[in-house]
Amino acid sequence: MTGAAMVRATGLTKRFGGLEAVRGIELDVAPGEVFGFLGPNGAGKSSAMRMIACVSPRSSGSLRVLGLDPDVDGPAIRARIGVVPQQDNLDAELSVRQNLEVYGRYFGLSRARVRRRAAELLEFAQLTDRAESPVEQLSGGMKRRLTIARSLVNDPELLLLDEPTTGLDPQARHLLWDRLYRLKQRGVTQLITTHYMDEAEQLCDRLVVMDGGVISAEGSPGELIARYCTREVVELRFAPDASRPGAEAFAGVAERVEELPDRWLLYAADGEAVLGAVHRSGVRPRASLVRRATLEDVFLRLTGRSLAD
Amino acid sequence: MSGHSERTPEPSLVPSAPLLRVIPVGSYAGRARTLVLRSALAYRRAWLAFVSGFFEPVFYLLAMGQGLGSLVGQLPGPDGAPLGYAAFIAPGLLAASAMNGAVFDSTYNVFFKLKYSKLYDAMLATPLGPVDIALGEIGWALLRGGLYSAGFLAVMGAFGLLTSPWAVLALPAALLVALAFGAVGMAATSFMRSWQDFDLIQLAIMPMFLFATTFFPLEVYPRPVQLLVECLPLFHAVELMRGLTTGAVSAGLWAHVAYLVVMAVLGGVVAIRRLGTLLLR
Ligand SMILES: Nc1ncnc2c1ncn2[C@@H]1O[C@H](COP(=O)(O)OP(=O)(O)OP(=O)(O)O)[C@@H](O)[C@H]1O
Ligand SMILES: [Mg+2]
């Protein structure tokens, strides 16, 4: 397996009737890598993930998962991967423990093995004390944790996580990050989609930004920030009702500006200098802040209506 | 981890029987029985619904067979020999209850799992394929139907309504009936868009239950209506069952068997193909 890509796609395309959800993307995910998909709603992240999970046939292009073709070897691939879908699809007619055990049986694991594995995974998801509850009685975050635990029942080599931490409280999220990190250390390759930029920055070795079905940027979080952003960002907040300055107010002050519903973002190497210039020009924001650029800024630039000057 | 050694080897994924060639490659992992196991666990929490299914045909038999039967007296049986009314309708009720159970499982229950609980989506993320799902669900319906049928046959025996040794074949016949209706029910469900569409199923089942010779012989109809009734699947199920429980066995029973087998195969193939296209989008 070493050397061979875990996932390799060229010209991968997904069409739903007339709608092209994924429009010819290239992917190359190495063993042990944690690979992220970022992108706005409807960008095609889940559609791409579902093709890789072999539950959605591709419309065109080529795709190899674990070196195999999903069209031919779907079941063999699915036996070796773990999937956390965007929407929980737990078995509502079974208890928490039964969900794990029965799912393991779908993979052909022995009764003794699923029993042992279920106990481990209940511990992992911190649901041991709810093991015999019906699934309907769990909170949203608990269901999410159970779905994630379930994806690990077959000790997957490749883990596909579609917005795994949506709905989790901060503790649960940090716990999951820790667990994912340990899986990475054990060599489990991971594909993650998320709308949380801090999560992507923490977890991903490499990521792509998708928009409108195509990949608009690719690199490590650090590379992307360096390539698409300045070192620092000045945030200027304005009261919703107050008359806000237009883009022309910042012309020449910053390298690039971005308007959000409640604030302006000014991109520059030296944030304090920009803030000083803004104040001198008479603009009076309700609050202001200088910070380092993050992946979120890259995301806004690549998927927003950034106003470069 | 060490788990891989305990995994049962991946069975051959390419179905080789000619019948299965029409089914896409990789749709069968050979683990349909894990779905049966799952259903058994799920029903542990709904045992009341399970038990009530047994009593329905028994109540019909008591009300119509004993009650109404005392007014009706005797009817001509399949071979013309006179038959008590209870002995006449009991095989009909057996066939109808096999049909009802299978249709309920393969329509309402399957639709719910398909559209609402997303159960099958979860299964397809594992090595299971549409064939495992179809076989597993139909297998469960058969197991359930088999238990009900065995119970009802025991009741018939207790009432002295089993007068022929051929009656031992009534149980496999009931399973065939359940299989045929389950397969077609599942195929029909795959075309349903909303709960309203299920009224169509009621519209098909109810008149069949009443008119497909369950309660009175074919001879009461004028010939054109007889031809119509002879096309109904429940007619073949009832006649097969009645032949076996009354011992009026002739080569003609094979025609009923053939009808039901064709129905099961066509329904099964359509169901599997449709499940694949619905779920694997
Ligand atoms: N089964 C489907 N049938 C028809 N259209 C679909 C289907 N699934 C997705 N789409 C469409 O494909 C496009 C991409 O959807 P997708 O779910 O891949 O986006 P996403 O990037 O995961 O978005 P989100 O961040 O909201 O989860 C959307 O326009 C969506 O409406
Ligand atoms: Mg999505």
Side-chain angles (χ1 to χ4, degrees):
Chain A
M1 185 91 311
T2 41
M6 296 296 275
V7 179
R8 173 166 289 155
T10 48
L12 183 61
T13 299
K14 182 73 199 182
R15 276 183 290 274
F16 295 107
L19 180 104
E20 235 179 356
V22 178
R23 298 160 59 184
I25 61 171
E26 318 282 314
L27 295 171
D28 208 335
V29 181
E33 198 171 22
V34 177
F35 190 89
F37 284 90
L38 303 184
N41 294 139
K45 307 178 296 295
S46 297
S47 302
M49 291 283 260
R50 285 172 38 81
M51 286 190 280
I52 297 167
C54 313
V55 292
S56 169
R58 60 183 184 266
S59 305
S60 62
S62 88
L63 176 63
R64 287 285 177 284
V65 182
L66 307 173
L68 303 169
D69 181 348
D71 281 352
V72 182
D73 294 312
I77 298 170
R78 295 198 302 262
R80 293 163 56 193
I81 66 179
V83 179
V84 176
Q86 184 168 354
Q87 305 256 286
D88 290 327
N89 53 16
L90 295 164
D91 194 330
E93 292 176 86
L94 300 180
S95 73
V96 171
R97 184 193 304 280
Q98 286 170 342
N99 257 278
L100 296 171
E101 293 186 352
V102 169
Y103 203 74
R105 303 283 288 167
Y106 298 155
F107 284 90
L109 304 180
S110 72
R111 197 182 292 260
R113 170 139 185 86
V114 294
R115 196 169 307 139
R116 210 162 54 234
R117 194 74 184 122
E120 289 165 18
L121 290 171
L122 284 170
E123 210 51 54
F124 167 91
Q126 298 192 317
L127 288 171
T128 305
D129 53 335
R130 303 300 294 268
E132 314 312 328
S133 309
V135 159
E136 308 109 274
Q137 290 178 8
L138 296 185
S139 77
M142 290 176 186
K143 284 185 189 155
R144 200 69 189 141
R145 270 148 48 193
L146 181 58
T147 305
I148 294 165
R150 189 184 67 173
S151 74
L152 298 173
V153 79
N154 60 329
D155 293 314
E157 297 160 50
L158 171 66
L159 197 52
L160 307 178
L161 303 138
D162 199 349
E163 301 190 24
T165 58
T166 300
L168 295 188
D169 66 31
Q171 276 86 356
R173 172 171 305 182
H174 281 283
L175 182 76
L176 180 69
W177 288 355
D178 172 66
R179 298 300 150 90
L180 293 180
Y181 185 70
R182 287 195 216 175
L183 287 172
K184 174 180 161 64
Q185 287 187 314
R186 289 202 341 233
V188 177
T189 310
Q190 299 169 36
L191 263 62
I192 302 180
T193 78
T194 179
H195 289 298
Y196 301 107
M197 299 301 140
D198 54 336
E199 182 163 288
E201 221 164 321
Q202 284 255 348
L203 294 177
C204 298
D205 299 317
R206 206 151 57 87
L207 46 86
V208 291
V209 178
M210 277 186 82
D211 197 5
V214 296
I215 291 176
S216 47
E218 172 173 355
S220 70
E223 281 167 13
L224 288 174
I225 293 169
R227 195 174 329 143
Y228 294 100
C229 242
T230 54
R231 208 170 66 88
E232 292 189 333
V233 185
V234 180
E235 288 195 17
L236 304 176
R237 291 176 190 245
F238 295 89
D241 44 353
S243 62
R244 298 164 55 158
E248 66 289 345
F250 310 114
V253 183
E255 280 181 42
R256 200 166 55 80
V257 300
E258 178 98 39
E259 186 178 23
L260 298 183
D262 64 334
R263 70 191 95 164
W264 279 96
L265 302 180
L266 314 186
Y267 293 94
D270 183 351
E272 290 299 341
V274 168
L275 190 56
V278 166
H279 280 300
R280 277 195 300 281
S281 73
V283 174
R284 289 283 169 269
R286 190 166 57 87
S288 61
L289 162 75
V290 177
R291 59 169 175 81
R292 292 188 73 90
T294 66
L295 211 47
E296 184 142 351
D297 300 299
V298 175
F299 184 87
L300 290 172
R301 160 126 197 226
L302 289 170
T303 63
R305 317 130 291 147
S306 161
L307 308 166
D309 59 340
Chain B
M1 300 280 278
S2 61
H4 300 266
S5 57
E6 285 180 47
R7 220 167 252 164
T8 42
E10 216 46 56
S12 157
L13 296 164
V14 186
S16 52
L19 167 67
L20 291 181
R21 291 246 173 77
V22 287
I23 288 162
V25 175
S27 351
Y28 187 44
R31 293 206 192 103
R33 96 203 118 72
T34 58
L35 267 92
V36 176
L37 175 95
R38 181 226 158 251
S39 297
L41 285 175
Y43 265 90
R44 276 221 293 238
R45 290 165 58 196
W47 60 271
L48 197 61
F50 199 99
V51 171
S52 69
F54 165 75
F55 284 103
E56 196 184 288
V58 174
F59 289 152
Y60 267 104
L61 183 65
L62 290 176
M64 317 277 292
Q66 307 309 109
L68 199 60
S70 63
L71 300 176
V72 175
Q74 301 219 312
L75 286 179
D79 51 1
L83 202 58
Y85 190 59
F88 181 85
I89 63 166
L93 291 171
L94 180 57
S97 86
M99 168 183 82
N100 280 329
V103 166
F104 187 81
D105 271 331
S106 67
T107 57
Y108 289 91
N109 287 351
V110 166
F111 189 74
F112 181 78
K113 292 173 189 167
L114 195 60
K115 295 275 154 104
Y116 294 92
S117 76
K118 302 282 173 200
L119 182 67
Y120 300 143
D121 295 85
M123 288 175 176
L124 289 183
T126 75
L128 300 183
V131 176
D132 296 277
I133 292 177
L135 291 185
E137 291 294 51
I138 291 175
W140 169 249
L142 283 188
L143 198 66
R144 212 158 91 113
L147 286 175
Y148 290 158
S149 300
F152 189 75
L153 280 167
V155 172
M156 281 175 74
F159 279 100
L161 303 176
L162 297 177
T163 51
S164 153
W166 286 103
V168 296
L169 292 181
L171 187 59
L175 292 182
L176 175 62
V177 172
L179 177 66
F181 279 98
V184 168
M186 206 173 198
T189 302
S190 68
F191 291 96
M192 303 275 164
R193 281 149 309 162
S194 71
W195 292 110
Q196 272 84 52
D197 291 344
F198 283 88
D199 294 339
L200 290 174
I201 290 186
Q202 274 312 308
L203 210 59
I205 294 293
M206 195 60 195
M208 251 200 311
F209 177 56
L210 293 174
F211 301 118
T213 71
T214 320
F215 297 109
F216 35 80
L218 191 64
E219 288 69 44
V220 303
Y221 296 113
R223 188 62 196 147
V225 179
Q226 285 183 5
L227 288 174
L228 192 70
V229 170
E230 281 171 358
C231 295
L232 299 176
L234 185 60
F235 167 79
H236 296 277
V238 170
E239 291 300 315
L240 173 62
M241 210 68 84
R242 189 168 286 142
L244 292 172
T245 60
T246 61
V249 174
S250 68
L253 290 189
W254 284 112
H256 303 311
V257 171
Y259 184 105
L260 294 168
V261 167
V262 168
M263 193 175 150
V265 169
L266 288 182
V269 170
V270 171
I272 288 163
R273 291 185 66 111
R274 286 281 306 166
L275 273 185
T277 50
L278 277 182
L279 292 168
L280 299 170
R281 284 192 304 168

